[in-house]
Amino acid sequence: GLTQAQFNVANDVANFGSSMAEKGYNAQMGANAANAALTASGYNAQMGATAANAALAQNQYNAAADTSATNAALTQTQLGNVNTAAAFGADMAGKQFATSMDYNNFATGLLGNQYSAGITNNNTNAGYGQQMLANTQGTNSLNAGLTQQGLANLASLYNTGIGIAQQNFDNANTSAGTLANLYNSSAGLYNNALDRTTAVQTQRLNNRLNTGTANSANYNSLIGAAGNPLTINAAGMEAAINPVISLTAAGQGVASGGTGVLGSLGGTGSSTSTQTQSGMASQWLPALFQGAALFT
């Protein structure tokens, strides 16, 4: 059977392989945890960007609504101004007409008084009556001219009121067109905000995919790095225990074909050996070394 020294060496090899496998497993689990944290961070950043874009779109929509309300109030004010101007024009036309009628009535009364006085004086003085008649005719002509001028003034004032009303109506139409343009501009801003949100989300998704690819490469590198120390340490272990194995084989009459037993198990030495003695040791010692190779 194996000596205690050989058994201890085989046990150390098995323990060393188990320790290195556990370290490789822990390294892989740490990499998995780091990648999970990175993925969660990217997701939180993407959700934050989406919320910011949604708030921006809402603010733009609120600004457009406020502008629409302001323009509606302005249009209502202009309509009130149109109605006020029309009412003022109608009132002024009524006052002008009333003034003209009062003046006509006054002139008619004055004419009647002058005519009566002329008739009375005509009974006493025909020449004086003729002069009064001439004066009455002149007054009539003057009154007719004043009445005509009053009617012309009334027509002019009425036409001015119509012009003001038309101008206010045109202003209202212009304000309505401006309001429509603001509505269109607000809709365009909202659509642009949605486009920017979509672009940001697409870029975030691409970044996450690229991060996953990079992490996959990192996993492979970590797994490879975890395997390299096992191979190197197997070669070192072989150099340490070869003298013990050679002495044991010489004592039991076993002729070794080389010193690469552990190296062949780790993929670095020769893969052949020669056994010259049968027995229990020659049957399970290679199996023990093959089991140790599972941890490299």
Side-chain angles (χ1 to χ4, degrees):
L2 292 176
T3 63
Q4 184 63 40
Q6 291 174 331
F7 179 79
N8 291 338
V9 168
N11 189 46
D12 290 340
V13 170
N15 291 334
F16 176 77
S18 177
S19 175
M20 292 305 294
E22 182 179 358
K23 289 181 180 180
Y25 174 78
N26 291 335
Q28 182 174 357
M29 293 302 294
N32 290 341
N35 184 59
L38 179 62
T39 302
S41 176
Y43 174 77
N44 292 333
Q46 181 179 359
M47 292 302 294
T50 301
N53 288 327
L56 175 61
Q58 185 65 39
N59 290 336
Q60 291 177 339
Y61 175 79
N62 292 337
D66 292 340
T67 302
S68 299
T70 301
N71 288 327
L74 178 61
T75 301
Q76 187 64 34
T77 300
Q78 290 178 339
L79 180 61
N81 292 336
V82 170
N83 293 333
T84 301
F88 176 76
D91 183 65
M92 289 298 296
K95 289 180 179 180
Q96 288 284 344
F97 181 76
T99 300
S100 177
M101 292 301 294
D102 291 340
Y103 187 79
N104 288 337
N105 292 333
F106 174 76
T108 301
L110 180 60
L111 179 60
N113 292 334
Q114 289 176 346
Y115 181 75
S116 297
I119 294 299
T120 301
N121 291 331
N122 187 51
N123 292 331
T124 59
N125 191 348
Y128 181 72
Q130 185 65 36
Q131 182 61 43
M132 289 298 294
L133 180 60
N135 291 338
T136 299
Q137 291 175 348
T139 301
N140 287 338
S141 298
L142 178 60
N143 287 335
L146 291 174
T147 300
Q148 185 65 35
Q149 183 62 42
L151 292 174
N153 292 338
L154 179 62
S156 177
L157 181 60
Y158 181 76
N159 290 331
T160 300
I162 292 176
I164 292 174
Q166 182 63 41
Q167 182 62 43
N168 288 329
F169 181 75
D170 293 340
N171 291 339
N173 287 334
T174 301
S175 298
T178 301
L179 180 61
N181 290 333
L182 288 174
Y183 284 152
N184 293 331
S185 297
S186 298
L189 291 174
Y190 183 72
N191 290 332
N192 289 335
L194 290 179
D195 291 340
R196 287 195 297 271
T197 300
T198 302
V200 169
Q201 291 176 347
T202 301
Q203 185 60 42
R204 293 287 186 185
L205 178 60
N206 291 334
N207 290 341
R208 291 182 63 186
L209 292 175
N210 293 335
T211 300
T213 302
N215 286 334
S216 178
N218 291 333
Y219 290 156
N220 293 330
S221 297
L222 288 173
I223 292 171
N228 288 334
L230 295 177
T231 302
I232 295 173
N233 288 323
M237 183 63 70
E238 178 185 7
I241 66 173
N242 267 338
V244 177
I245 294 174
S246 298
L247 291 175
T248 301
Q252 295 182 353
V254 177
S256 175
T259 60
V261 176
L262 291 181
S264 64
L265 296 178
T268 59
S270 62
S271 59
T272 59
S273 61
T274 303
Q275 297 180 353
T276 59
Q277 180 177 344
S278 62
M280 183 178 296
S282 62
Q283 293 176 2
W284 61 268
L285 181 59
L288 177 62
F289 286 137
Q290 290 176 1
L294 295 177
F295 297 97
T296 60

